[in-house]
Coordinates of all heavy atoms in Angstrom, one line a residue:
M1 N -135.3 -22.2 31.7 CA -135.4 -20.7 31.7 C -134.3 -20.1 32.5 O -133.9 -20.6 33.6 CB -136.8 -20.3 32.4 CG -137.5 -19.2 31.6 SD -138.9 -18.6 32.4 CE -140.2 -19.6 31.7
K2 N -133.8 -19.0 32.0 CA -132.6 -18.4 32.7 C -133.0 -17.5 33.9 O -134.1 -16.9 33.8 CB -131.9 -17.5 31.7 CG -131.1 -18.3 30.6 CD -130.4 -17.4 29.7 CE -129.6 -18.1 28.7 NZ -129.0 -17.2 27.7
P3 N -132.2 -17.4 34.9 CA -132.5 -16.4 35.9 C -132.2 -15.0 35.4 O -131.6 -14.8 34.4 CB -131.4 -16.8 37.0 CG -130.3 -17.4 36.3 CD -130.9 -18.1 35.1
I4 N -132.8 -14.1 36.2 CA -132.6 -12.7 35.9 C -131.7 -12.0 37.0 O -132.0 -12.2 38.1 CB -133.9 -11.9 35.7 CG1 -134.7 -12.5 34.6 CG2 -133.7 -10.4 35.5 CD1 -136.0 -11.8 34.4
Y5 N -130.7 -11.3 36.5 CA -129.8 -10.6 37.5 C -130.0 -9.1 37.3 O -130.4 -8.6 36.2 CB -128.4 -11.0 37.2 CG -128.1 -12.5 37.5 CD1 -128.2 -13.4 36.4 CD2 -127.7 -12.9 38.7 CE1 -127.9 -14.7 36.7 CE2 -127.5 -14.2 39.0 CZ -127.6 -15.2 37.9 OH -127.3 -16.5 38.1
R6 N -129.6 -8.4 38.4 CA -129.6 -6.9 38.3 C -128.2 -6.5 38.6 O -127.6 -6.8 39.6 CB -130.6 -6.3 39.2 CG -130.7 -4.8 39.1 CD -131.9 -4.3 39.9 NE -131.9 -2.9 39.9 CZ -131.3 -2.1 40.7 NH1 -130.5 -2.6 41.6 NH2 -131.4 -0.8 40.6
C7 N -127.6 -5.7 37.7 CA -126.3 -5.2 37.9 C -126.2 -4.3 39.1 O -127.0 -3.3 39.2 CB -125.8 -4.5 36.6 SG -124.2 -3.8 36.8
R8 N -125.2 -4.5 40.0 CA -125.1 -3.6 41.1 C -124.4 -2.3 40.8 O -124.4 -1.4 41.5 CB -124.2 -4.3 42.2 CG -124.8 -5.6 42.7 CD -123.8 -6.3 43.7 NE -124.1 -7.7 43.9 CZ -124.8 -8.1 45.0 NH1 -125.3 -7.2 45.8 NH2 -125.1 -9.4 45.1
V9 N -123.8 -2.3 39.6 CA -123.0 -1.1 39.2 C -123.9 -0.1 38.5 O -124.1 1.0 38.8 CB -121.8 -1.5 38.4 CG1 -121.0 -0.2 38.0 CG2 -120.9 -2.4 39.2
C10 N -124.5 -0.6 37.4 CA -125.3 0.3 36.5 C -126.8 0.1 36.6 O -127.6 0.9 36.1 CB -124.9 0.1 35.0 SG -125.4 -1.4 34.3
G11 N -127.2 -1.0 37.3 CA -128.7 -1.2 37.6 C -129.4 -1.8 36.5 O -130.6 -2.0 36.5
A12 N -128.7 -2.3 35.4 CA -129.3 -2.9 34.3 C -129.8 -4.3 34.7 O -129.2 -5.0 35.5 CB -128.3 -3.0 33.1
F13 N -130.8 -4.8 34.0 CA -131.3 -6.2 34.2 C -130.6 -7.0 33.1 O -130.6 -6.6 32.0 CB -132.8 -6.3 34.1 CG -133.5 -5.5 35.2 CD1 -134.1 -4.2 34.9 CD2 -133.6 -6.0 36.4 CE1 -134.7 -3.5 35.9 CE2 -134.3 -5.3 37.4 CZ -134.8 -4.1 37.2
T14 N -130.2 -8.2 33.5 CA -129.5 -9.0 32.6 C -129.7 -10.5 32.9 O -130.0 -10.8 34.1 CB -127.9 -8.7 32.6 OG1 -127.2 -9.6 31.8 CG2 -127.4 -8.8 34.1
E15 N -129.5 -11.3 31.9 CA -129.5 -12.8 32.2 C -128.1 -13.3 32.4 O -127.9 -14.5 32.6 CB -130.1 -13.5 31.0 CG -131.6 -13.3 30.9 CD -132.3 -14.1 29.9 OE1 -131.6 -14.5 28.9 OE2 -133.5 -14.3 30.0
D16 N -127.1 -12.4 32.4 CA -125.7 -12.8 32.6 C -125.4 -12.5 34.1 O -125.8 -11.6 34.7 CB -124.7 -12.0 31.8 CG -125.0 -12.3 30.3 OD1 -125.2 -13.5 30.0 OD2 -124.9 -11.3 29.5
Q17 N -124.6 -13.5 34.7 CA -124.4 -13.3 36.1 C -123.4 -12.2 36.4 O -123.3 -11.7 37.5 CB -123.8 -14.7 36.6 CG -123.8 -14.7 38.2 CD -123.4 -16.1 38.6 OE1 -123.2 -17.0 37.8 NE2 -123.2 -16.3 39.9
Y18 N -122.6 -11.8 35.4 CA -121.7 -10.7 35.6 C -122.0 -9.6 34.7 O -122.4 -9.8 33.5 CB -120.2 -11.2 35.3 CG -119.8 -12.2 36.4 CD1 -120.0 -13.5 36.3 CD2 -119.2 -11.6 37.6 CE1 -119.6 -14.4 37.3 CE2 -118.8 -12.5 38.6 CZ -119.0 -13.9 38.4 OH -118.6 -14.7 39.4
H19 N -121.9 -8.4 35.2 CA -122.2 -7.1 34.4 C -121.2 -6.1 34.9 O -121.0 -6.0 36.1 CB -123.6 -6.7 34.6 CG -124.2 -5.9 33.4 ND1 -124.2 -4.5 33.5 CD2 -124.7 -6.3 32.2 CE1 -124.7 -4.1 32.4 NE2 -125.0 -5.1 31.6
C20 N -120.7 -5.3 34.0 CA -119.8 -4.2 34.4 C -118.6 -4.8 35.2 O -118.0 -4.1 36.1 CB -120.5 -3.1 35.3 SG -121.8 -2.3 34.4
G21 N -118.3 -6.0 34.9 CA -117.1 -6.6 35.5 C -117.3 -7.1 36.9 O -116.4 -7.5 37.6
K22 N -118.6 -7.0 37.4 CA -118.9 -7.4 38.8 C -120.0 -8.5 38.8 O -120.8 -8.5 37.8 CB -119.3 -6.2 39.6 CG -118.2 -5.2 39.7 CD -118.1 -4.7 41.2 CE -117.0 -3.7 41.3 NZ -116.4 -3.6 42.7
Q23 N -120.1 -9.3 39.8 CA -121.2 -10.2 39.9 C -122.5 -9.5 40.2 O -122.6 -8.6 41.1 CB -120.9 -11.2 41.1 CG -122.0 -12.3 41.1 CD -121.5 -13.5 42.0 OE1 -120.6 -13.4 42.8 NE2 -122.2 -14.6 41.8
A24 N -123.5 -9.8 39.4 CA -124.8 -9.1 39.5 C -125.6 -9.8 40.6 O -125.4 -10.9 41.0 CB -125.5 -9.1 38.2
E25 N -126.6 -9.0 41.1 CA -127.5 -9.5 42.1 C -128.6 -10.4 41.5 O -129.3 -10.0 40.6 CB -128.1 -8.3 42.8 CG -129.1 -8.6 43.9 CD -129.8 -7.4 44.4 OE1 -129.6 -6.3 43.9 OE2 -130.6 -7.5 45.4
L26 N -128.8 -11.6 42.1 CA -129.8 -12.5 41.6 C -131.2 -11.9 41.9 O -131.5 -11.6 43.1 CB -129.7 -13.9 42.2 CG -130.7 -14.9 41.7 CD1 -130.7 -15.1 40.3 CD2 -130.6 -16.2 42.5
L27 N -132.0 -11.6 40.9 CA -133.3 -11.0 41.1 C -134.4 -12.0 41.0 O -135.3 -11.9 41.8 CB -133.5 -9.9 40.0 CG -134.5 -8.8 40.3 CD1 -134.0 -7.9 41.4 CD2 -134.7 -8.0 39.1
L28 N -134.3 -12.9 40.1 CA -135.4 -13.8 39.9 C -134.8 -15.2 39.4 O -134.2 -15.2 38.4 CB -136.3 -13.3 38.8 CG -137.8 -13.7 38.8 CD1 -138.4 -13.5 40.2 CD2 -138.6 -12.9 37.8
D29 N -134.9 -16.2 40.2 CA -134.4 -17.5 39.8 C -135.3 -18.2 38.9 O -136.5 -17.8 38.7 CB -134.1 -18.3 41.1 CG -135.4 -18.7 41.8 OD1 -136.2 -19.5 41.3 OD2 -135.6 -18.1 42.9
P30 N -134.8 -19.2 38.1 CA -135.7 -19.8 37.1 C -137.0 -20.4 37.7 O -138.0 -20.3 37.0 CB -134.7 -21.0 36.6 CG -133.4 -20.5 36.9 CD -133.5 -19.7 38.2
G31 N -136.9 -21.0 38.9 CA -138.2 -21.5 39.5 C -139.2 -20.4 39.7 O -140.4 -20.6 39.4
S32 N -138.8 -19.2 40.1 CA -139.7 -18.1 40.3 C -140.3 -17.7 39.0 O -141.5 -17.3 38.9 CB -139.0 -16.9 40.9 OG -138.5 -17.3 42.2
R33 N -139.5 -17.7 37.9 CA -140.0 -17.3 36.6 C -141.0 -18.2 36.1 O -142.0 -17.8 35.6 CB -138.8 -17.2 35.6 CG -138.0 -15.9 35.8 CD -136.9 -15.8 34.7 NE -137.5 -15.3 33.5 CZ -136.8 -15.0 32.4 NH1 -135.5 -15.1 32.5 NH2 -137.4 -14.5 31.3
V34 N -140.8 -19.5 36.4 CA -141.8 -20.5 35.9 C -143.1 -20.3 36.7 O -144.2 -20.3 36.2 CB -141.2 -21.9 36.1 CG1 -142.3 -23.0 35.9 CG2 -140.1 -22.2 35.1
R35 N -142.9 -20.2 38.1 CA -144.1 -20.0 38.9 C -144.9 -18.7 38.4 O -146.1 -18.7 38.4 CB -143.8 -19.8 40.4 CG -143.5 -21.2 41.0 CD -143.6 -21.1 42.5 NE -142.6 -20.2 43.1 CZ -141.4 -20.5 43.3 NH1 -141.0 -21.7 43.1 NH2 -140.5 -19.6 43.8
L36 N -144.2 -17.7 38.1 CA -144.8 -16.4 37.7 C -145.6 -16.6 36.4 O -146.7 -16.2 36.3 CB -143.8 -15.3 37.6 CG -144.3 -13.9 37.3 CD1 -145.0 -13.4 38.5 CD2 -143.1 -13.0 37.0
S37 N -145.0 -17.3 35.5 CA -145.6 -17.5 34.2 C -146.9 -18.4 34.3 O -147.9 -18.2 33.7 CB -144.7 -18.0 33.1 OG -144.2 -19.3 33.5
K38 N -146.7 -19.4 35.2 CA -147.9 -20.3 35.5 C -149.0 -19.5 36.2 O -150.2 -19.7 35.8 CB -147.5 -21.5 36.3 CG -146.8 -22.5 35.5 CD -146.5 -23.7 36.4 CE -145.8 -24.8 35.5 NZ -145.3 -25.9 36.3
L39 N -148.6 -18.6 37.1 CA -149.6 -17.8 37.8 C -150.3 -16.9 36.8 O -151.6 -16.8 36.8 CB -148.9 -16.9 38.8 CG -149.8 -16.0 39.6 CD1 -150.8 -16.7 40.5 CD2 -149.0 -15.0 40.4
M40 N -149.6 -16.3 35.9 CA -150.2 -15.4 34.9 C -151.1 -16.2 34.0 O -152.2 -15.7 33.7 CB -149.1 -14.8 34.0 CG -148.2 -13.8 34.8 SD -149.0 -12.4 35.5 CE -149.2 -11.4 34.0
S41 N -150.7 -17.3 33.5 CA -151.6 -18.1 32.6 C -152.8 -18.6 33.3 O -153.9 -18.6 32.8 CB -150.9 -19.2 31.9 OG -150.3 -20.1 32.8
G42 N -152.6 -18.9 34.6 CA -153.8 -19.3 35.5 C -154.8 -18.2 35.6 O -156.0 -18.4 35.6
L43 N -154.3 -17.0 35.9 CA -155.2 -15.9 36.0 C -155.9 -15.6 34.8 O -157.1 -15.3 34.8 CB -154.3 -14.6 36.4 CG -153.8 -14.6 37.9 CD1 -152.9 -13.3 38.0 CD2 -155.0 -14.5 38.8
L44 N -155.3 -15.7 33.6 CA -156.0 -15.5 32.4 C -157.1 -16.5 32.1 O -158.1 -16.2 31.5 CB -154.9 -15.5 31.2 CG -154.1 -14.3 31.1 CD1 -153.0 -14.4 30.0 CD2 -154.9 -13.0 30.9
R45 N -156.8 -17.8 32.6 CA -157.8 -18.8 32.4 C -159.0 -18.5 33.4 O -160.2 -18.7 33.0 CB -157.3 -20.2 32.7 CG -156.8 -20.9 31.5 CD -156.8 -22.4 31.7 NE -155.9 -22.7 32.9 CZ -154.6 -22.9 32.9 NH1 -154.0 -22.7 31.8 NH2 -154.0 -23.2 34.0
Y46 N -158.7 -18.0 34.6 CA -159.7 -17.9 35.6 C -160.5 -16.6 35.3 O -161.7 -16.6 35.6 CB -159.0 -17.8 37.0 CG -159.9 -18.1 38.1 CD1 -160.4 -19.4 38.3 CD2 -160.4 -17.1 38.9 CE1 -161.2 -19.7 39.3 CE2 -161.2 -17.4 40.0 CZ -161.7 -18.7 40.2 OH -162.5 -19.0 41.2
Y47 N -159.9 -15.6 34.8 CA -160.5 -14.3 34.5 C -160.4 -14.0 33.1 O -159.6 -13.3 32.6 CB -159.9 -13.2 35.3 CG -159.9 -13.4 36.8 CD1 -158.8 -13.8 37.5 CD2 -161.1 -13.2 37.5 CE1 -158.8 -14.0 38.9 CE2 -161.1 -13.4 38.9 CZ -160.0 -13.8 39.6 OH -160.0 -14.0 40.9
P48 N -161.3 -14.7 32.2 CA -161.0 -14.6 30.8 C -161.6 -13.4 30.1 O -162.1 -13.5 29.0 CB -161.8 -15.9 30.3 CG -162.9 -16.1 31.3 CD -162.4 -15.5 32.6
W49 N -161.5 -12.2 30.8 CA -162.0 -11.0 30.1 C -160.9 -10.5 29.2 O -159.7 -10.7 29.4 CB -162.4 -10.0 31.1 CG -161.3 -9.6 32.1 CD1 -160.2 -8.8 31.8 CD2 -161.2 -9.9 33.5 NE1 -159.4 -8.7 32.9 CE2 -160.0 -9.3 33.9 CE3 -162.0 -10.6 34.3 CZ2 -159.6 -9.5 35.3 CZ3 -161.7 -10.7 35.7 CH2 -160.5 -10.2 36.1
G50 N -161.4 -9.8 28.2 CA -160.5 -9.1 27.3 C -159.7 -10.1 26.4 O -158.7 -9.7 25.8
L51 N -160.2 -11.3 26.2 CA -159.4 -12.2 25.4 C -159.9 -12.3 24.0 O -159.3 -13.0 23.2 CB -159.4 -13.6 26.0 CG -158.6 -13.8 27.3 CD1 -158.7 -15.2 27.8 CD2 -157.2 -13.4 27.1
D52 N -161.0 -11.6 23.6 CA -161.5 -11.7 22.3 C -161.0 -10.6 21.4 O -160.0 -10.0 21.6 CB -163.0 -11.7 22.3 CG -163.6 -10.5 23.1 OD1 -162.8 -9.7 23.5 OD2 -164.8 -10.5 23.3
Ligands
ZN101 ZN1 -123.7 -3.0 34.6

């Protein structure tokens, strides 16, 4: 999974490390994205409302 960066110049979110010709700020590293998605699927399993 790719990290997510935020452009320091225009504020856009991007998966590219550079935006607007400058290095973007690392917002979410791949490990965090995996943990987040696991947390989300875990929550859905644990609280299975609204799944029908
Ligand atoms: Zn930009």
Side-chain angles (χ1 to χ4, degrees):
M1 224 188 266
K2 288 183 180 175
I4 295 180
Y5 297 90
R6 185 169 176 274
C7 178
R8 298 174 197 268
V9 179
C10 72
F13 297 101
T14 174
E15 289 185 338
D16 297 319
Q17 195 173 354
Y18 290 89
H19 203 264
C20 297
K22 300 225 174 203
Q23 187 166 16
E25 175 185 8
L26 179 63
L27 199 68
L28 206 52
D29 62 74
S32 298
R33 285 185 76 174
V34 171
R35 278 200 299 278
L36 187 66
S37 62
K38 282 184 177 170
L39 177 68
M40 294 298 282
S41 58
L43 284 174
L44 286 176
R45 265 202 307 275
Y46 200 73
Y47 301 105
W49 58 72
L51 288 184
D52 52 6

